[in-house]
Amino acid sequence: MVDNFSNLSQNHLNVVVYNFVDTLSHARTDMEVIKELAEDEAAYRSLTLSWFKNSPLFEFMKKIADKKGRLIITTDHGSIRTQEPSQVIGDRNTNTNLRYKVGKNLNFKEKEVFAITKPELAYLPKVNVSSVYLFAKEDYFFVYPNNYNQYVNQYRNTFQHGGISMEEMLVPLVYLEPK
């Protein structure tokens, strides 16, 4: 991308999707070395900042500023640090996402979720006659009764998305012009 900047600068509009921060947040959940480097929120933010300062993305942004270009930065979703497990019981066809579930005959605690029992009223697809959508509230994350403690230990204090917290639902947008 940086090497191709002169070609890209000929266009009126360029759209770049940079997925590294999302990938890093998921790697923090899955990879032991990243968990070690980013054991808490402050360390995760520090690691992200360190990556950014040394990234091709930052170099690309500096080139845009040098050319007096304008830049809009946004994302498709936010994320939240999950803290509290919420047990969901469903059949094997229920999806595996930690912040939302779609399935039939789901058993859950009402105070921990936002449940949509009539998907058609929310303009959501109705997979089965008895489809239910569950969205985690606040900092809850969904776990199943089998391997409960393993999942709680693995996913507590990780950044997730797909629920209905303000952190996930508000989409930041910034418009930048060079000084």
mmCIF file of all heavy atoms in Angstrom, residues 6 10 29 31 49 52 57 64 86 102 105 114 120 132 141 157 164 167:
data_model
loop_
_atom_site.group_PDB
_atom_site.id
_atom_site.type_symbol
_atom_site.label_atom_id
_atom_site.label_comp_id
_atom_site.label_asym_id
_atom_site.label_seq_id
_atom_site.Cartn_x
_atom_site.Cartn_y
_atom_site.Cartn_z
ATOM 1 N N SER A 6 1.847 6.523 -4.853
ATOM 2 C CA SER A 6 1.790 7.479 -5.969
ATOM 3 C C SER A 6 0.658 7.131 -6.931
ATOM 4 O O SER A 6 -0.010 8.029 -7.455
ATOM 5 C CB SER A 6 3.126 7.567 -6.695
ATOM 6 O OG SER A 6 3.479 6.310 -7.225
ATOM 7 N N GLN A 10 -3.534 9.389 -7.294
ATOM 8 C CA GLN A 10 -4.160 9.895 -8.527
ATOM 9 C C GLN A 10 -5.692 9.820 -8.453
ATOM 10 O O GLN A 10 -6.382 10.499 -9.201
ATOM 11 C CB GLN A 10 -3.695 9.064 -9.745
ATOM 12 C CG GLN A 10 -2.196 8.945 -9.895
ATOM 13 C CD GLN A 10 -1.544 10.268 -10.239
ATOM 14 O OE1 GLN A 10 -2.089 11.051 -11.004
ATOM 15 N NE2 GLN A 10 -0.394 10.530 -9.641
ATOM 16 N N THR A 29 -7.193 -13.369 22.400
ATOM 17 C CA THR A 29 -7.999 -14.435 22.965
ATOM 18 C C THR A 29 -7.386 -15.796 22.675
ATOM 19 O O THR A 29 -7.406 -16.689 23.512
ATOM 20 C CB THR A 29 -9.426 -14.396 22.359
ATOM 21 O OG1 THR A 29 -9.981 -13.116 22.619
ATOM 22 C CG2 THR A 29 -10.312 -15.456 22.952
ATOM 23 N N MET A 31 -4.060 -16.649 21.235
ATOM 24 C CA MET A 31 -2.630 -16.933 21.235
ATOM 25 C C MET A 31 -2.001 -16.584 22.576
ATOM 26 O O MET A 31 -2.117 -15.454 23.043
ATOM 27 C CB MET A 31 -1.938 -16.152 20.111
ATOM 28 C CG MET A 31 -2.397 -16.559 18.723
ATOM 29 S SD MET A 31 -1.666 -15.535 17.424
ATOM 30 C CE MET A 31 0.069 -15.837 17.670
ATOM 31 N N LEU A 49 -0.876 0.725 20.294
ATOM 32 C CA LEU A 49 -0.218 1.992 19.978
ATOM 33 C C LEU A 49 1.190 1.753 19.433
ATOM 34 O O LEU A 49 1.594 2.374 18.442
ATOM 35 C CB LEU A 49 -0.170 2.896 21.210
ATOM 36 C CG LEU A 49 0.495 4.254 21.005
ATOM 37 C CD1 LEU A 49 -0.242 5.083 19.951
ATOM 38 C CD2 LEU A 49 0.550 5.010 22.329
ATOM 39 N N PHE A 52 0.897 0.572 15.932
ATOM 40 C CA PHE A 52 0.479 1.651 15.033
ATOM 41 C C PHE A 52 1.639 2.577 14.692
ATOM 42 O O PHE A 52 1.852 2.928 13.527
ATOM 43 C CB PHE A 52 -0.678 2.438 15.643
ATOM 44 C CG PHE A 52 -1.087 3.612 14.793
ATOM 45 C CD1 PHE A 52 -1.738 3.412 13.583
ATOM 46 C CD2 PHE A 52 -0.791 4.903 15.187
ATOM 47 C CE1 PHE A 52 -2.084 4.488 12.776
ATOM 48 C CE2 PHE A 52 -1.131 5.979 14.387
ATOM 49 C CZ PHE A 52 -1.779 5.766 13.180
ATOM 50 N N LEU A 57 0.548 1.470 8.022
ATOM 51 C CA LEU A 57 -0.647 2.312 8.030
ATOM 52 C C LEU A 57 -0.289 3.741 8.451
ATOM 53 O O LEU A 57 -0.712 4.707 7.819
ATOM 54 C CB LEU A 57 -1.714 1.733 8.971
ATOM 55 C CG LEU A 57 -2.990 2.552 9.113
ATOM 56 C CD1 LEU A 57 -3.695 2.703 7.772
ATOM 57 C CD2 LEU A 57 -3.917 1.897 10.144
ATOM 58 N N ILE A 64 -0.288 10.753 3.118
ATOM 59 C CA ILE A 64 -1.530 11.452 2.784
ATOM 60 C C ILE A 64 -1.454 12.901 3.276
ATOM 61 O O ILE A 64 -1.798 13.840 2.550
ATOM 62 C CB ILE A 64 -2.759 10.732 3.387
ATOM 63 C CG1 ILE A 64 -2.969 9.381 2.711
ATOM 64 C CG2 ILE A 64 -4.021 11.590 3.264
ATOM 65 C CD1 ILE A 64 -3.994 8.486 3.395
ATOM 66 N N SER A 86 -22.408 -15.457 30.897
ATOM 67 C CA SER A 86 -23.854 -15.654 30.877
ATOM 68 C C SER A 86 -24.108 -17.001 30.226
ATOM 69 O O SER A 86 -23.773 -17.218 29.057
ATOM 70 C CB SER A 86 -24.530 -14.541 30.080
ATOM 71 O OG SER A 86 -25.924 -14.765 29.997
ATOM 72 N N VAL A 102 -28.052 -17.174 17.878
ATOM 73 C CA VAL A 102 -29.245 -17.421 17.084
ATOM 74 C C VAL A 102 -29.507 -18.909 17.185
ATOM 75 O O VAL A 102 -28.617 -19.719 16.947
ATOM 76 C CB VAL A 102 -29.046 -17.054 15.597
ATOM 77 C CG1 VAL A 102 -30.324 -17.299 14.817
ATOM 78 C CG2 VAL A 102 -28.585 -15.627 15.447
ATOM 79 N N ASN A 105 -35.212 -22.805 20.877
ATOM 80 C CA ASN A 105 -35.318 -23.373 22.231
ATOM 81 C C ASN A 105 -34.113 -23.014 23.100
ATOM 82 O O ASN A 105 -33.567 -23.874 23.787
ATOM 83 C CB ASN A 105 -35.499 -24.894 22.169
ATOM 84 C CG ASN A 105 -36.706 -25.288 21.365
ATOM 85 O OD1 ASN A 105 -37.750 -24.647 21.430
ATOM 86 N ND2 ASN A 105 -36.566 -26.343 20.570
ATOM 87 N N PHE A 114 -30.577 -9.265 25.673
ATOM 88 C CA PHE A 114 -31.687 -8.647 24.961
ATOM 89 C C PHE A 114 -32.160 -9.724 23.995
ATOM 90 O O PHE A 114 -31.410 -10.134 23.104
ATOM 91 C CB PHE A 114 -31.217 -7.392 24.207
ATOM 92 C CG PHE A 114 -32.294 -6.766 23.381
ATOM 93 C CD1 PHE A 114 -33.322 -6.057 23.986
ATOM 94 C CD2 PHE A 114 -32.283 -6.880 22.000
ATOM 95 C CE1 PHE A 114 -34.315 -5.470 23.226
ATOM 96 C CE2 PHE A 114 -33.272 -6.297 21.238
ATOM 97 C CZ PHE A 114 -34.296 -5.593 21.852
ATOM 98 N N GLU A 120 -38.890 -11.484 12.759
ATOM 99 C CA GLU A 120 -39.479 -10.743 11.641
ATOM 100 C C GLU A 120 -39.857 -9.311 12.049
ATOM 101 O O GLU A 120 -39.797 -8.390 11.237
ATOM 102 C CB GLU A 120 -40.691 -11.483 11.051
ATOM 103 C CG GLU A 120 -41.878 -11.638 11.977
ATOM 104 C CD GLU A 120 -41.792 -12.790 12.996
ATOM 105 O OE1 GLU A 120 -40.760 -13.480 13.062
ATOM 106 O OE2 GLU A 120 -42.778 -12.975 13.728
ATOM 107 N N VAL A 132 -34.788 -17.639 17.842
ATOM 108 C CA VAL A 132 -34.627 -16.595 18.847
ATOM 109 C C VAL A 132 -33.238 -15.996 18.658
ATOM 110 O O VAL A 132 -32.269 -16.715 18.400
ATOM 111 C CB VAL A 132 -34.763 -17.171 20.278
ATOM 112 C CG1 VAL A 132 -34.414 -16.138 21.328
ATOM 113 C CG2 VAL A 132 -36.156 -17.718 20.503
ATOM 114 N N PHE A 141 -20.637 -12.230 28.376
ATOM 115 C CA PHE A 141 -20.288 -13.054 27.221
ATOM 116 C C PHE A 141 -20.918 -14.420 27.436
ATOM 117 O O PHE A 141 -21.085 -14.876 28.566
ATOM 118 C CB PHE A 141 -18.768 -13.158 27.014
ATOM 119 C CG PHE A 141 -18.009 -13.790 28.154
ATOM 120 C CD1 PHE A 141 -17.617 -15.121 28.102
ATOM 121 C CD2 PHE A 141 -17.666 -13.043 29.269
ATOM 122 C CE1 PHE A 141 -16.902 -15.695 29.140
ATOM 123 C CE2 PHE A 141 -16.954 -13.604 30.324
ATOM 124 C CZ PHE A 141 -16.576 -14.941 30.261
ATOM 125 N N ASN A 157 -12.187 -10.927 30.299
ATOM 126 C CA ASN A 157 -11.180 -9.889 30.095
ATOM 127 C C ASN A 157 -10.629 -9.874 28.668
ATOM 128 O O ASN A 157 -9.477 -9.551 28.450
ATOM 129 C CB ASN A 157 -10.041 -10.024 31.116
ATOM 130 C CG ASN A 157 -9.249 -8.744 31.229
ATOM 131 O OD1 ASN A 157 -9.758 -7.652 31.024
ATOM 132 N ND2 ASN A 157 -7.972 -8.878 31.552
ATOM 133 N N ILE A 164 -24.940 -5.649 22.408
ATOM 134 C CA ILE A 164 -25.645 -4.374 22.266
ATOM 135 C C ILE A 164 -25.181 -3.315 23.267
ATOM 136 O O ILE A 164 -25.925 -2.428 23.618
ATOM 137 C CB ILE A 164 -27.176 -4.554 22.361
ATOM 138 C CG1 ILE A 164 -27.559 -5.178 23.696
ATOM 139 C CG2 ILE A 164 -27.698 -5.350 21.194
ATOM 140 C CD1 ILE A 164 -29.031 -5.067 23.992
ATOM 141 N N GLU A 167 -20.525 0.656 23.656
ATOM 142 C CA GLU A 167 -19.180 0.567 23.091
ATOM 143 C C GLU A 167 -19.164 -0.161 21.746
ATOM 144 O O GLU A 167 -18.332 0.126 20.889
ATOM 145 C CB GLU A 167 -18.223 -0.151 24.061
ATOM 146 C CG GLU A 167 -17.955 0.610 25.334
ATOM 147 C CD GLU A 167 -18.946 0.324 26.458
ATOM 148 O OE1 GLU A 167 -20.063 -0.167 26.188
ATOM 149 O OE2 GLU A 167 -18.603 0.593 27.613
#
